[in-house]
C-alpha cells in the first residue's frame, strides 16, 4: 500500500475517532477535516515518529509499551495543530485524554481497515 492508500486508511480512522470520541470535532467540513488531519498525521508518522520512538524507548520499555500510546497521542495533537494552522481544516481536540483515546481508536481502525484493504 502506497502513501495514498495509507492516507485513505488514516482518513477513515480519523473519521471514526471523530464519530466515537466526544472531545474530538471536525473543523472545516465533515470530510475535509479528517482528510487534512490524516495528511498531516501521515507526514508526521513518516518523518518525526521514528525519532520520537527512539527517544522514548527507555520509557516505552519501562512501561511495557504503554508509553507508545502517549507518543501516538502527542503526534495526533501535533497533527491537529498543523492541519488547522496550515490547511484551515482538521480536527479540534479538547484535551489530552481525548487525544489519548483518539490515538487508540485511530490505531485500531487503521489496523482493521489496513487489514481489509491489504498490503501490496
Amino acid at each position: 500500500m502506497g502513501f495514498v492508500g495509507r492516507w485513505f486508511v488514516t482518513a477513515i480512522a480519523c473519521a471514526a475517532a471523530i464519530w466515537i470520541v466526544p472531545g474530538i470535532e471536525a473543523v472545516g467540513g465533515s470530510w475535509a477535516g479528517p482528510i487534512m488531519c490524516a495528511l498531516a498525521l501521515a507526514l508526521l508518522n513518516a518523518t518525526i515518529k521514528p525519532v520520537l520512538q527512539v527517544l522514548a524507548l527507555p520509557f516505552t520499555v519501562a512501561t511495557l509499551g504503554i508509553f507508545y500510546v502517549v507518543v501516538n497521542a502527542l503526534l495526533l495533537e501535533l497533527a491537529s495543530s498543523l492541519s488547522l494552522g496550515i490547511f484551515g481544516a482538521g480536527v479540534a481536540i479538547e484535551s489530552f485524554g481525548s487525544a489519548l483515546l483518539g490515538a487508540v481508536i485511530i490505531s485500531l481502525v487503521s489496523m482493521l481497515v489496513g487489514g481489509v484493504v491489504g498490503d501490496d
Side-chain angles (χ1 to χ4, degrees):
M1 182 177 353
F3 180 78
V4 174
R6 291 189 196 280
W7 182 18
F8 178 71
V9 169
T10 307
I12 292 172
C14 286
I18 291 168
W19 182 62
I20 294 171
V21 180
I24 299 179
E25 301 286 329
V27 176
S30 61
W31 286 105
I35 289 172
M36 291 301 125
C37 182
L39 176 61
L41 193 59
L43 292 172
L44 288 174
N45 282 342
T47 57
I48 296 175
K49 189 173 185 178
V51 174
L52 286 177
Q53 286 175 334
V54 169
L55 292 175
L57 188 62
F59 298 109
T60 305
V61 170
T63 60
L64 302 176
I66 295 174
F67 193 75
Y68 188 69
V69 177
V70 173
V71 171
N72 285 343
L74 290 172
L75 283 173
L76 181 60
E77 287 270 3
L78 184 59
S80 168
S81 171
L82 286 175
S83 65
L84 289 174
I86 295 173
F87 305 119
V91 296
I93 301 174
E94 231 176 72
S95 65
F96 187 73
S98 297
L100 203 62
L101 184 58
V104 170
I105 298 295
I106 289 173
S107 296
L108 290 174
V109 172
S110 293
M111 180 182 64
L112 292 173
V113 174
V116 170
V117 171
D119 248 351
D120 288 341

